[in-house]
Structure formats: C-alpha cells, structure tokens
C-alpha cells in the first residue's frame, strides 16, 4: 500500500498540483495544524478495536494506528499495552502467544458486538475510554 500511496502522490504532483502555488507561510500553517491534530478517546478506542477485528501484535497495532494519524502511542507504547490488557480483562479481547514469543490480540465475540455498538453511535454520544475500561 505504501508504494501505491507514493505513486498516487507523484501523479497528483505531476497532474493536479501544477496549477497550485502555496506560500511558505501557508505551508507552515498547514503543517502546524497537522501536528496539532489530536484524537479523542472514543476515536482512539474505535480505531484500536477496528484494527483488532483481525489478529495483531501490539507492535503492528502501533504502526497501523500511526498510519491512521494517531500518534498517541509513538513515544509511549506501554500505554497501549495497558489498554489492551484492560480490554482483555473486560472480556472483549482474546490474546495468544505464538511460537516466536509474540503476543497477538484479537476481538472476541463480545468485543465485536461492542465495536458495532460504538460505530453506530454518533461521535458526540460516545462513551469515554475511561468508561469503557473501568465501567
């Protein structure tokens, strides 16, 4: 997929963006907004759960979250493992150790039901990460 995105960017640079001119100030403001973008707890939880429909390691999960623009775990991967452990204790995740000493996580039936429920709700009505993990 990475290669396809690079090819798309090259094509867009060549075909679409030739007419556009941005000042350095404009570019800097855009970069600043991108780096300031934050995700709320509900968005992060839904992203984690969506990715765990299929079995993943914590490392794979961090990489995929980063590709979605969620960089909350970039400097602190340990906090993701705390969330995964709590989800497992709540009974929405199952985990297993593979032969190469890697732990894999995946939503179980209850987790998939919770994900469907969260996806149907408007974002403004979502429960917080704290409520999911503690309540």
């Amino acid at each position: 997929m990475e290669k396809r995105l690079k090819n798309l960017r090259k094509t867009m640079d060549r075909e679409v963006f030739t007419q556009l001119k941005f000042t350095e100030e404009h570019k800097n403001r855009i970069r600043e907004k991108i780096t300031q973008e934050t995700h709320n707890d509900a968005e992060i939880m839904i992203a984690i759960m969506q990715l765990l429909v299929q079995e993943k390691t914590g490392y794979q999960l961090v990489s995929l979250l980063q590709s979605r623009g969620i960089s909350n775990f970039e400097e602190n991967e340990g906090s993701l493992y705390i969330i995964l452990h709590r989800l497992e204790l709540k009974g929405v995740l199952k985990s297993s150790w593979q032969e190469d000493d890697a732990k894999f996580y995946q939503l179980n039936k209850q987790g998939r039901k919770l994900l469907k429920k969260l996806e149907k709700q408007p974002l403004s009505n979502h429960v917080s990460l704290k409520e999911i993990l503690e309540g």
Side-chain angles (χ1 to χ4, degrees):
M1 182 152 164
E2 180 85 19
K3 186 177 179 182
R4 289 188 301 175
L5 290 176
K6 286 180 182 178
N7 289 338
L8 175 62
R9 183 176 178 165
K10 286 178 187 177
T11 302
M12 289 181 76
D13 286 342
R14 193 175 56 247
E15 304 292 329
V16 178
F17 297 132
T18 56
Q19 305 294 325
L20 298 175
K21 303 293 180 211
F22 295 105
T23 65
E24 281 303 311
E25 179 184 345
H26 189 91
K27 289 178 186 178
N28 289 334
R29 283 198 321 248
I30 291 170
R31 283 187 193 108
E32 188 176 309
K33 283 193 178 216
I34 290 171
T35 57
Q36 288 178 350
E37 186 177 326
T38 58
H39 300 276
N40 66 35
D41 289 347
E43 292 171 321
I44 293 169
M45 181 56 67
I46 289 172
I48 290 171
M49 293 178 76
Q50 286 172 337
L51 291 169
L52 289 176
V53 168
Q54 295 179 338
E55 196 173 60
K56 308 242 179 332
T57 65
Y59 177 79
Q60 290 170 325
L61 195 53
V62 168
S63 297
L64 291 168
L65 288 167
Q66 287 174 350
S67 70
R68 288 186 175 200
I70 299 172
S71 58
N72 299 49
F73 307 106
E74 190 173 2
E75 298 291 324
N76 187 8
E77 286 182 29
S79 60
L80 175 64
Y81 289 100
I82 291 170
I83 292 169
L84 292 173
H85 182 69
R86 288 190 179 154
L87 287 172
E88 192 173 6
L89 290 175
K90 286 288 180 188
V92 296
L93 278 187
K94 62 181 178 178
S95 66
S96 61
W97 287 94
Q98 302 293 332
E99 295 172 8
D100 58 353
D101 289 332
K103 190 172 186 179
F104 284 81
Y105 302 89
Q106 186 174 11
L107 288 181
N108 60 20
K109 187 176 181 178
Q110 183 181 343
R112 288 190 299 275
K113 283 181 184 179
L114 177 60
L115 175 60
K116 284 182 183 180
K117 179 181 172 185
L118 291 173
E119 288 176 329
K120 287 180 183 177
Q121 294 177 353
L123 205 53
S124 60
N125 293 346
H126 278 193
V127 292
S128 72
L129 181 62
K130 185 177 182 180
E131 290 172 317
I132 291 172
L133 295 178
E134 294 175 1

